[in-house]
């Protein structure tokens, strides 16, 4: 149960099929959540969802239910009546944004989902802190990223080392702050640096970002690919030598692993989710949230230190191989699911 079009979800499902011999039946909300009317329509669909889910369960009799996001699909999974239930917290905390009028309700929903789940995924240790604060039974928590397919995200980068070829692979949503990135590259442009910036994906900010690109006079150096098939992403990464991501919040980013695996040098925001994997000027660079001046300055520093940068990209590939190998991690996850199913059947 989750947004099955997302690359992250596709990786999860493919891994379960490949390494656990699972047959997957999917369900997700159909209504988009952007805009006042759409948001209310989605909430209405969500409130009625449990009846549809139970109908599917009656028809298919699944061995277990798996869901992403503790405050949405995870709650519905907990209500489904099926055991075992595995849910995944997707961000550093799914209780976000804190200013939302739904925040108190989300807190109650999350508590129920945590209590009823047989297994809770934390894709990285940074996610466990909010779970501990919520008094989760940590024996139910599996701390392990899904990983990425290293046979696809290979270390055969072909980017021209003498030029800054940057790539951004995050959805075009406000929380990913693409505007901050564009403003920093405008500063580099004013200083005469040669570069290309590829922005991958789609989202509600596409038109606004294209307009900002024109305003900053970057149309000849910034390229928007729009939505691309998942299999096209590795070749774009392999033609890039810098990976940039400026989110305001982050859990465990598969996009970061993909960049590190394909020898793109990572420059990301200085937030807990990124600090788990990137140490400033040791294996990448950390930038204060919404600080385009700092991003521009740190890009220049990276350009001026090629020896350091080349060592980093070699070490980062090894790090991903050791910690985020999809073929290793998804096998562990699949085995854990089978153990849960077998234990449930015995009881």
């Amino acid at each position: 149960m989750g947004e099955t079009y997302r690359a992250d979800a596709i990786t999860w499902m493919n891994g379960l099929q490949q390494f656990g011999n699972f047959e997957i039946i999917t369900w997700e909300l159909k209504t988009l959540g952007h805009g006042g009317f759409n948001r209310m329509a989605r909430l209405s669909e969500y409130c009625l969802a449990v009846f549809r889910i139970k109908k599917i369960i009656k028809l298919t009799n699944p061995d277990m239910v798996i869901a992403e996001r503790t405050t949405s699909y995870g709650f519905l999974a907990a209500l489904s009546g099926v055991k075992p239930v595995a849910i995944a917290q997707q961000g550093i905390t799914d209780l976000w944004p804190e200013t939302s009028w739904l925040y108190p309700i989300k807190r109650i929903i999350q508590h129920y989902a945590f209590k009823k789940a047989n297994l809770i995924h934390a894709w990285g240790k940074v996610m466990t802190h909010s779970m501990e604060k919520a008094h989760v039974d940590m024996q139910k928590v599996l701390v392990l990223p899904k990983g990425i397919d290293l046979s696809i995200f290979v270390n055969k980068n072909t980017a021209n080392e003498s030029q800054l070829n940057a790539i951004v692979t995050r959805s075009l949503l406000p929380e990913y702050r693409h505007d901050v990135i564009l403003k920093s590259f405008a500063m580099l442009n004013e200083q005469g640096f040669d570069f290309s910036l590829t922005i991958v994906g789609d989202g509600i900010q596409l038109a606004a970002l294209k307009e900002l690109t024109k305003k900053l006079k970057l149309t000849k150096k910034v390229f928007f690919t729009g939505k691309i098939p998942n299999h096209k992403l590795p070749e774009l990464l392999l033609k890039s030598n810098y990976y940039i991501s400026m989110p305001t919040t982050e859990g465990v980013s598969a996009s970061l692993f993909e960049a590190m695996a394909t020898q793109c040098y990572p420059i990301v925001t200085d937030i807990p989710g990124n600090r788990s994997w990137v140490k400033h000027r040791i294996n990448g660079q950390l930038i204060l949230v919404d600080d385009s001046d700092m991003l521009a300055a740190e890009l220049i520093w990276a350009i001026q230190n090629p020896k350091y940068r080349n060592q980093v990209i070699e070490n980062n590939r090894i790090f991903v191989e050791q910690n985020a190998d999809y073929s290793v991690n998804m096998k562990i996850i699949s085995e854990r699911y089978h153990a849960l199913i077998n234990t449930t059947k015995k009881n």
Side-chain angles (χ1 to χ4, degrees), residues 129-313:
H129 304 315
S130 64
M131 293 178 184
E132 289 168 348
K133 287 182 181 179
H135 306 293
V136 170
D137 178 1
M138 298 307 289
Q139 291 186 338
K140 298 194 295 185
V141 178
L142 175 61
V143 185
L144 187 72
K146 292 182 290 295
I148 60 169
D149 190 342
L150 295 176
S151 68
I152 297 173
F153 294 96
V154 295
N155 56 339
K156 297 179 180 178
N157 195 289
T158 60
N160 182 357
E161 290 186 16
S162 63
Q163 182 182 353
L164 168 57
N165 296 297
I167 190 167
V168 184
T169 62
R170 313 307 297 270
S171 298
L172 307 189
L173 300 173
E175 57 265 33
Y176 291 114
R177 297 297 199 267
H178 291 77
D179 58 327
V180 172
I181 298 170
L182 288 171
K183 289 172 185 176
S184 70
F185 274 84
M187 296 177 199
L188 295 185
N189 195 44
E190 289 173 359
Q191 296 182 52
F193 284 93
D194 186 21
F195 66 84
S196 70
L197 173 62
T198 300
I199 298 178
V200 179
D202 199 0
I204 59 174
Q205 288 212 305
L206 178 59
L209 292 170
K210 285 186 174 181
E211 186 61 33
L212 179 59
T213 301
K214 290 180 183 178
K215 183 179 178 181
L216 295 173
K217 300 179 181 179
L218 295 175
T219 51
K220 292 183 179 180
K221 295 188 175 183
V222 176
F223 307 96
F224 292 87
T225 68
K227 187 177 181 179
I228 63 169
N230 291 328
H231 68 272
K232 290 286 185 181
L233 181 58
E235 64 184 70
L236 289 175
L237 285 165
L238 289 168
K239 294 176 182 177
S240 308
N241 50 14
Y242 288 78
Y243 167 80
I244 302 175
S245 179
M246 294 287 114
T248 57
T249 182
E250 189 75 277
V252 173
S253 172
S255 298
L256 175 59
F257 292 150
E258 291 163 357
M260 294 169 92
T262 51
Q263 298 184 310
C264 290
Y265 178 76
I267 302 180
V268 297
T269 36
D270 188 5
I271 53 178
N274 288 328
R275 285 197 295 269
S276 298
W277 314 105
V278 176
K279 308 302 178 188
H280 187 57
R281 294 190 181 181
I282 294 177
N283 69 326
Q285 282 160 267
L286 296 170
I287 310 298
L288 296 177
V289 172
D290 290 337
D291 196 334
S292 54
D293 290 333
M294 183 180 181
L295 175 56
E298 289 296 325
L299 277 164
I300 293 170
W301 185 90
I303 292 167
Q304 294 172 342
N305 289 273
K307 186 176 180 181
Y308 152 82
R309 198 175 67 249
N310 288 335
Q311 186 61 57
V312 164
I313 62 175

Side-chain angles (χ1 to χ4, degrees), residues 69-90:
R69 292 200 178 88
T70 58
T71 55
S72 56
Y73 293 105
F75 176 65
L76 293 175
L79 290 175
S80 70
V82 176
K83 289 290 183 180
V85 172
I87 63 173
Q89 182 171 294
Q90 290 300 98

